[in-house]
Amino acid sequence: MELAAIGAALAVIGAAMGIGKIGSHAMDAIARQPEASSNIQTAMIISAALIEGVALFGVVVALLSIG
Amino acid sequence: MIGAISSASEEKQPHDDKKFNTSEFILDHIADSHEWHYYTTKDGHHVSFPLPVIVYSKHSGFHFFMSNKLSHGHEHDGLKIGHEGEYKGKIIELDEDGKLRESLPLDFSITKNVASMMMAMLILLWLFISLGTTYKKSGIRAPKGFQGFLEPIILFVQDNIAIPNIGEKKSGKFMPYLLTIFFFILLNNLLGLVPTGANVTGNIAVTLTLAFFTLIITNISGNKNYWKHIFATPGVPAWVLPILVPVELIGILVKPIALTIRLFANITAGHIIILSLISLIFIFKSIGIAPVSVVFVLFMNMLELLVAILQAYIFTLLSALFIGLAIEEHH
């Protein structure tokens, strides 16, 4: 049961690093060109949701390994 | 029968000696069930709304009764709800001697998730049929009231999701499907967040069915270009094809599976987080933790609201993207 928790935590670390990078690059892009900010924001949210989907794959596998 | 809240028989629960089982508490609130449980009073009185049980058994045919006959492990007509092991929560059948029959009966019951989906369906039908009749009666004018709130959302789905991905000519054909899944997922996500709501989109069977619809619609509307890209990818030497074709075929299946798991895991994870934060109060058994817990729960609820809307948008966007890829012409 502990390994499942460690696996889920690793998936969360991966997601956090990925989404953090997206956020930081989005901030840089908005700072460079404020007119494009709504496009950038939409793209950022979509990418974040897709990456979170992959991380939740890992969490689901961890949950399945308990039962 | 509708509106009658019937209560199960009195059950004196020994509180304080029973340790609070967090994972059981959480899983009970996420899983489907044959009755709609509202709350339990202090002396163990369960207040819940029983739902119909419709079961077909090979040995004894159809059964149709209300689920309060099966509460607390009672047996009715040889059927009972299993308590432990692999049959936990499922309806199992016993023969005359009380022994378990090997094959489970087919369960078509109206469970909590099915009842909640039907309510969501009725709400959606009422909202959109009345919107349609408003347009028919008064022409293409901005509708007043709540219907004026729906129109920008529908236009958003058309202009930002359908047209960029499917193209302007053919998006009209797929707009009904995209609008349906967008509002269905959005409404069910939101209904899962209110108290006594059912966790519909956090049920992997429901999300699997929605992703299955996307799979069917994508592959039925695939044109020759689409299938050529899968079976005879242009610009690829012939000896790579035996490796590439299975990979492409698996790719067709993986995309709906990703849709399934993304929606299911996001919604279920949100519910588990909120339930865990609330059960902090019961684990620590002190009122002092309540303000911290409630503040966290409020914050997580706001985040869950965002996730509910976002996941509906992402599911619809990816469905539109897959459909657009399937009907793309050769450039």
Side-chain angles (χ1 to χ4, degrees), chain B:
Chain B
M1 189 159 315
I2 299 181
I5 297 185
S6 98
S7 37
S9 57
E10 304 259 332
E11 184 185 82
K12 297 286 178 204
Q13 268 184 351
H15 41 209
D16 285 10
D17 344 5
K18 208 158 65 161
K19 192 171 170 308
F20 180 72
N21 191 341
T22 314
S23 53
E24 189 184 302
F25 169 74
I26 293 180
L27 288 174
D28 270 345
H29 277 81
I30 293 185
D32 204 358
S33 97
H34 284 278
E35 60 175 4
W36 202 311
H37 178 89
Y38 287 117
Y39 58 93
T40 307
T41 57
K42 258 204 289 207
D43 36 330
H45 198 85
H46 285 287
V47 176
S48 52
F49 185 74
L51 294 167
V53 172
I54 308 172
V55 158
Y56 176 73
S57 141
K58 272 199 310 231
H59 304 279
S60 39
F62 264 107
H63 296 261
F64 184 96
F65 51 92
M66 300 303 279
S67 69
N68 52 357
K69 299 208 170 62
L70 288 180
S71 65
H72 305 295
H74 290 157
E75 181 191 321
H76 179 88
D77 278 353
L79 299 164
K80 64 187 280 229
I81 297 184
H83 270 292
E84 59 276 314
E86 61 176 300
Y87 298 129
K88 182 159 196 254
K90 304 197 181 147
I91 293 194
I92 56 181
E93 191 176 11
L94 307 170
D95 58 18
E96 304 82 40
D97 306 322
K99 278 195 304 145
L100 183 59
R101 286 202 207 261
E102 340 68 47
S103 56
L104 290 178
L106 293 175
D107 194 352
F108 297 108
S109 315
I110 310 287
T111 62
K112 191 163 88 164
N113 283 5
V114 176
S116 176
M117 272 196 282
M118 286 181 178
M119 279 196 329
M121 170 189 85
L122 291 174
I123 294 177
L124 286 176
L125 281 176
W126 171 61
L127 274 178
F128 288 101
I129 291 183
S130 65
L131 185 63
T133 32
T134 309
Y135 282 135
K136 255 200 238 174
K137 274 195 296 194
S138 44
I140 306 294
R141 249 187 306 153
K144 290 199 295 249
F146 187 73
Q147 294 172 345
F149 175 67
L150 292 175
E151 184 181 333
I153 304 184
I154 298 179
L155 286 177
F156 171 78
V157 174
Q158 183 189 43
D159 297 332
N160 294 57
I161 299 182
I163 293 190
N165 290 306
I166 305 184
E168 202 159 325
K169 276 190 316 183
K170 303 203 188 147
S171 71
K173 226 170 34 153
F174 298 101
M175 273 297 284
Y177 173 65
L178 292 175
L179 283 173
T180 305
I181 52 173
F182 181 78
F183 281 107
F184 181 77
I185 296 177
L186 179 62
L187 186 60
N188 278 307
N189 286 351
L190 293 175
L191 283 178
L193 285 177
V194 307
T196 74
N199 183 23
V200 172
T201 34
N203 183 337
I204 203 168
V206 171
T207 57
L208 186 66
T209 312
L210 292 171
F212 182 68
F213 290 151
T214 298
L215 176 72
I216 298 283
I217 290 185
T218 310
N219 287 308
I220 287 188
S221 32
N223 60 9
K224 216 163 67 128
N225 199 27
Y226 173 67
W227 293 113
K228 202 159 80 82
H229 267 276
I230 295 188
F231 286 111
T233 320
V236 146
W239 52 273
V240 179
L241 277 184
I243 308 176
L244 196 56
V245 170
V247 169
E248 291 277 354
L249 287 175
I250 295 181
I252 298 184
L253 289 180
V254 159
K255 290 189 281 201
I257 294 180
L259 285 176
T260 302
I261 296 202
R262 185 181 298 116
L263 181 57
F264 156 71
N266 264 299
I267 303 296
T268 303
H271 289 219
I272 292 183
I273 291 178
I274 295 183
L275 289 167
S276 308
L277 287 174
I278 293 191
S279 43
L280 273 184
I281 307 182
F282 295 94
I283 296 177
F284 281 107
K285 285 199 172 57
S286 103
I287 197 81
I289 201 89
V292 177
S293 181
V294 167
V295 162
F296 270 126
V297 166
L298 275 177
F299 170 65
M300 285 313 299
N301 254 326
M302 293 299 117
L303 199 59
E304 275 313 291
L305 196 58
L306 177 71
V307 167
I309 302 175
L310 185 66
Q311 286 307 315
Y313 168 67
I314 291 276
F315 196 104
T316 312
L317 179 74
L318 287 174
S319 294
L321 191 69
F322 299 154
I323 295 176
L325 285 176
I327 62 175
E328 212 177 19
E329 292 301 328
H330 186 71
H331 23 231

Side-chain angles (χ1 to χ4, degrees), chain A residues 42 45-47 49-50 52-54 56-57 59-60 63, chain B residues 257-258 261-262 264-266 269 310-311 313-314 317-318:
Chain A
T42 309
I45 299 263
I46 295 179
S47 318
L50 289 174
E52 196 167 333
V54 177
L56 286 171
F57 264 128
V59 172
V60 163
L63 280 176
Chain B
I257 294 180
I261 296 202
R262 185 181 298 116
F264 156 71
N266 264 299
L310 185 66
Q311 286 307 315
Y313 168 67
I314 291 276
L317 179 74
L318 287 174

Side-chain angles (χ1 to χ4, degrees), chain A residues 11-63:
Chain A
V12 166
I13 291 184
M17 280 173 46
I19 301 184
K21 254 191 163 234
I22 296 179
S24 89
H25 284 297
M27 305 259 190
D28 290 341
I30 295 180
R32 268 172 154 244
Q33 196 181 5
E35 308 90 51
S37 90
S38 82
N39 283 341
I40 297 175
Q41 196 170 337
T42 309
M44 170 185 85
I45 299 263
I46 295 179
S47 318
L50 289 174
I51 292 191
E52 196 167 333
V54 177
L56 286 171
F57 264 128
V59 172
V60 163
V61 170
L63 280 176

